[in-house]
Amino acid sequence: MISKSKVVLSVMLAIGLLAGCGSKGDHAQPQAGSSVAPKEEKVSITFWRNSGNDAENSAYDKLVASFNEAHPNIKVEMSPIPFADYDTKVRTAIASGNPPDIMAIDGPNMASYAQAGALQPLTAYFKKDGNLEDIPESTIATYTYNNEIYMAPLTESSIALFYNKKMFEAKGIPLPSKNPEEPWTWDQVLDAAKKLNDPAKGVYGIDPAQGFGNAGGTAYFKYPIIWQFGGEIMSPDGTTSKGYLDKPETKKALQFFSDLYNEHKVSSLEYPPDAFPNGQLAITVDGSWSLGNLADKFPNFKLGEDYDIAPLPKETQQAVANGSWSLAISSKSKNADAAWQFVNWVTGAEGAKTYTSITKDIPARYSVANEVPELNEYPMNIFVVQNQKFGRPRPITPIFPQMSEAVNKMIEEVTIGGRNLDTAVAEAINKIDRAYDSLPKK
């Protein structure tokens, strides 16, 4: 969950100012391969993470216990923190100069922590024994800022096109391919949505991006549409949106999205609860995590009979957002080498295999995904292949929250408010550039 932009910015400023000042806690950064501690001295490592579901908690409990047993000179003390409180608690601890050694951070927030000097670079550790070639380059790029890797990925998620198979068959519409590399175009999706749309009977053609809500969350669904049309949101260095958010391809994507609601009227600003499994929504874009939810809550709405899954549509190219909660080491840690041993234990191939076997998440590593048969078969192969071959980082920028708010508001104003597209884009660029300019200078 992303905090309100003004609050996040003020806290980031505080962190940035703190990072720019000397303190008694400052120390030279440890290097990969240096001594962890004298053999007779037991090192205690603090690890904070957001409290997850039962499966996630069980997986972490198992990994911490196995690490502590295998490393008698290192003790990891894990603190699960409620999700609603987590981000604030971590930022407060960093600002006060007393952060945990290891912390879980959501991918898009990495750059704000790294820019503030709160994270230990992990590049040297990865090159030493992190098995970088086992992780997709696009995934590593998500956790890289100013040419340094700052976080170690454990799992990934992905989204795809869910469609009501029986509705398609009733209308005689050919079904999309299940091949992850053979997506429909957006024009094909629009054509099907028009044929299936029947508002008089309470049936809507498509929900293209999980409606309108939290900016950080909807970015995960809306940015791929921009990329699929060949557009961009920010510069590769994350400093400006000028020349990117106002690209013709970006504007074409934004206009297409708005037209789904306003010209073609195949999308609605509001849908009934559980519209897709209840037969009131013909096509939707949803995540791999929804498969379990549909099976549990709607057992009579069956995959392969009532609905099926296809890769995300494309216009000029395939694209999907990547990046999930991953592990980082504090720049203040006095035991960074020991902390890396634990991070590598959890996110390495064996740890990831243990974790994902319990949680059923998609592993970030090729080797782990290759070993799980169901990840190489329909429907999970669609999510896995899309992520590995067509995954893209959301903009890597220390102003991600402010950028997300600006882009989300722009899309809402154009789609819901009918605002002129060029005017809305120009204002969003101005907001984003002002936010970046307001960062503390080092």
Side-chain angles (χ1 to χ4, degrees):
M1 182 175 292
I2 303 296
S3 303
K4 294 295 184 183
S5 59
K6 289 184 179 178
V7 175
V8 173
L9 179 58
S10 63
V11 177
M12 285 199 306
L13 288 172
I15 296 174
L17 290 172
L18 182 70
C21 301
S23 72
K24 293 182 179 179
D26 290 344
H27 60 281
Q29 298 298 324
Q31 300 297 316
S34 63
S35 176
V36 173
K39 289 185 178 180
E40 66 276 5
E41 180 182 336
K42 188 164 188 174
V43 174
S44 180
I45 300 294
T46 53
F47 168 38
W48 288 7
R49 65 177 180 84
N50 57 310
S51 183
N53 58 38
D54 290 343
E56 293 166 344
N57 294 336
S58 175
Y60 268 119
D61 286 343
K62 184 172 183 178
L63 287 166
V64 170
S66 63
F67 179 85
N68 284 338
E69 182 178 358
H71 300 79
N73 290 329
I74 305 174
K75 182 180 180 181
V76 174
E77 298 177 347
M78 179 173 61
S79 297
I81 298 167
F83 182 83
D85 304 326
Y86 184 76
D87 192 57
T88 298
K89 186 165 184 176
V90 169
R91 290 183 182 274
T92 301
I94 291 172
S96 68
N98 190 33
D101 294 285
I102 302 166
M103 62 198 98
I105 296 175
D106 196 8
N109 293 334
M110 176 274 298
S112 67
Y113 288 96
Q115 192 273 342
L119 304 182
Q120 166 80 24
L122 303 181
T123 310
Y125 291 115
F126 263 109
K127 288 182 177 179
K128 177 176 176 286
D129 59 2
N131 199 8
L132 271 174
E133 65 275 10
D134 195 29
I135 306 171
E137 289 184 9
S138 61
T139 298
I140 288 296
T142 298
Y143 307 110
T144 301
Y145 180 66
N146 287 344
N147 299 315
E148 290 281 4
I149 304 169
Y150 281 99
M151 299 207 298
L154 175 57
T155 63
E156 275 289 6
S157 59
S158 188
I159 56 178
L161 199 71
F162 287 55
Y163 63 94
N164 189 305
K165 183 178 180 181
K166 288 185 175 178
M167 286 187 183
F168 270 66
E169 291 173 340
K171 294 285 187 178
I173 302 172
L175 302 180
S177 172
K178 294 178 181 178
N179 185 331
E181 299 185 63
E182 294 180 357
W184 266 12
T185 65
W186 272 109
D187 283 341
Q188 288 176 294
V189 174
L190 175 59
D191 182 63
K194 287 179 177 178
K195 293 175 181 176
L196 295 161
N197 196 55
D198 194 349
K201 293 183 178 179
V203 177
Y204 299 91
I206 182 172
D207 179 359
Q210 291 292 304
F212 299 87
N214 174 274
T218 54
Y220 191 76
F221 289 87
K222 292 186 176 70
Y223 293 178
I225 297 175
I226 292 174
W227 298 330
Q228 289 153 11
F229 277 75
E232 298 289 348
I233 295 99
M234 289 194 77
S235 58
D237 62 4
T239 62
T240 182
S241 282
K242 183 67 176 175
Y244 299 89
L245 197 59
D246 52 356
K247 283 181 63 174
E249 294 85 352
T250 305
K251 290 183 178 180
K252 183 179 179 181
L254 295 170
Q255 188 65 60
F256 178 87
F257 182 84
S258 176
D259 286 347
L260 292 175
Y261 294 83
N262 299 304
E263 179 181 340
H264 307 300
K265 301 187 185 303
V266 294
S267 300
S268 175
L269 298 179
E270 293 185 10
Y271 299 95
D274 302 312
F276 182 65
N278 287 330
Q280 296 170 294
L281 181 61
I283 306 170
T284 188
V285 174
D286 213 336
S288 54
W289 56 86
S290 291
L291 291 170
N293 180 64
L294 289 171
D296 291 342
K297 294 184 178 179
F298 302 93
N300 294 324
F301 187 65
K302 298 183 183 298
L303 178 68
E305 295 181 18
D306 301 289
Y307 77 98
D308 264 321
I309 299 172
L312 284 181
K314 71 172 185 178
E315 185 64 18
T316 61
Q317 61 187 3
Q318 287 186 256
V320 62
N322 63 14
S324 187
W325 286 85
S326 300
L327 301 187
I329 298 175
S330 168
S331 61
K332 295 288 186 181
S333 176
K334 296 180 180 178
N335 298 293
D337 281 4
W340 169 253
Q341 288 189 51
F342 175 71
V343 168
N344 204 25
W345 178 274
V346 172
T347 65
E350 291 304 314
K353 191 186 306 180
T354 297
Y355 185 90
T356 56
S357 69
I358 297 172
T359 65
K360 306 306 178 184
D361 288 327
I362 297 172
R365 290 184 176 272
Y366 289 118
S367 62
V368 182
N370 289 340
E371 288 187 31
V372 182
E374 68 180 90
L375 295 181
N376 298 281
E377 301 167 355
Y378 174 84
M380 291 305 296
N381 68 315
I382 291 177
F383 299 102
V384 173
V385 171
Q386 280 188 148
N387 186 271
Q388 292 179 349
K389 291 191 174 183
F390 309 111
R392 289 190 52 167
R394 284 158 283 181
I396 300 169
T397 176
I399 58 162
F400 184 86
Q402 299 96 309
M403 179 276 301
S404 292
E405 290 284 356
V407 174
N408 201 49
K409 185 175 181 181
M410 173 196 70
I411 294 173
E412 289 182 355
E413 288 178 342
V414 171
T415 305
I416 302 173
R419 192 177 188 193
N420 176 269
L421 176 61
D422 292 337
T423 302
V425 168
E427 183 173 309
I429 291 172
N430 194 24
K431 288 180 181 177
I432 292 166
D433 288 355
R434 285 203 315 267
Y436 192 86
D437 289 341
S438 70
L439 285 173
K441 302 299 186 289
K442 290 191 174 183

